[in-house]
Amino acid sequence: MASFNKVILIGNMVADPELKTTPSGVNVCSFRIAVGRRYVKPSENQQQQQTDFIDIVAWRMQAEFVVKYFSKGKPILVCGAIQSRNWQDRDGNKRTTVEVIADEVSFVERKSVSDGFNSSSGDPGPTAPAAYSTSYESSPKFEEISSDDDLPF
């Protein structure tokens, strides 16, 4: 059976993120974002807005990126996969946590003039950091063929 697990969220940081390090020395950052969701209330047949709070986990360089460039209230784009894990609390009760493991995090808004954004040229300048992604894909290399005679078919 085929399956697909991909999440794309845009929301606002609920609190300042904190960088932690595992005993083996790997950086990790857990944070929460507030994401709006539209729904229709059956009794009123009118569209409503509700906010969901989604837990996100970023690892390694992504964790460092989030801590360095994002703070409470800032918008953020997160692409990743949903993961659930089971654990026991201090009282021995079984708990389940559902979170998004970030594959990619990025900015949502443009830098302001005070942040070094050159609005006249539309160029964010050298101070604008790039989004961080763990994607290992590279762009395909195409070769231009001068005539139809060179085609293999």
Side-chain angles (χ1 to χ4, degrees), residues 52-65:
D52 293 312
F53 297 91
I54 312 294
D55 293 323
I56 314 289
V57 178
W59 292 90
R60 297 173 181 80
M61 300 269 306
Q62 278 185 322
E64 294 173 28
F65 179 80

Side-chain angles (χ1 to χ4, degrees), residues 43-106:
S43 61
E44 298 175 17
N45 201 19
Q46 189 174 9
Q47 191 166 317
Q48 304 284 323
Q49 181 79 16
Q50 186 169 354
T51 302
D52 293 312
F53 297 91
I54 312 294
D55 293 323
I56 314 289
V57 178
W59 292 90
R60 297 173 181 80
M61 300 269 306
Q62 278 185 322
E64 294 173 28
F65 179 80
V66 170
V67 170
K68 185 172 182 179
Y69 294 108
F70 293 93
S71 59
K72 181 179 180 178
K74 296 281 185 180
I76 187 171
L77 179 139
V78 176
C79 297
I82 294 176
Q83 173 181 292
S84 63
R85 57 184 173 86
N86 299 314
W87 54 282
Q88 276 190 350
D89 64 14
R90 291 184 180 139
D91 299 329
N93 299 317
K94 291 181 180 181
R95 301 284 185 195
T96 300
T97 297
V98 176
E99 54 203 3
V100 173
I101 305 302
D103 294 328
E104 181 180 345
V105 292
S106 182

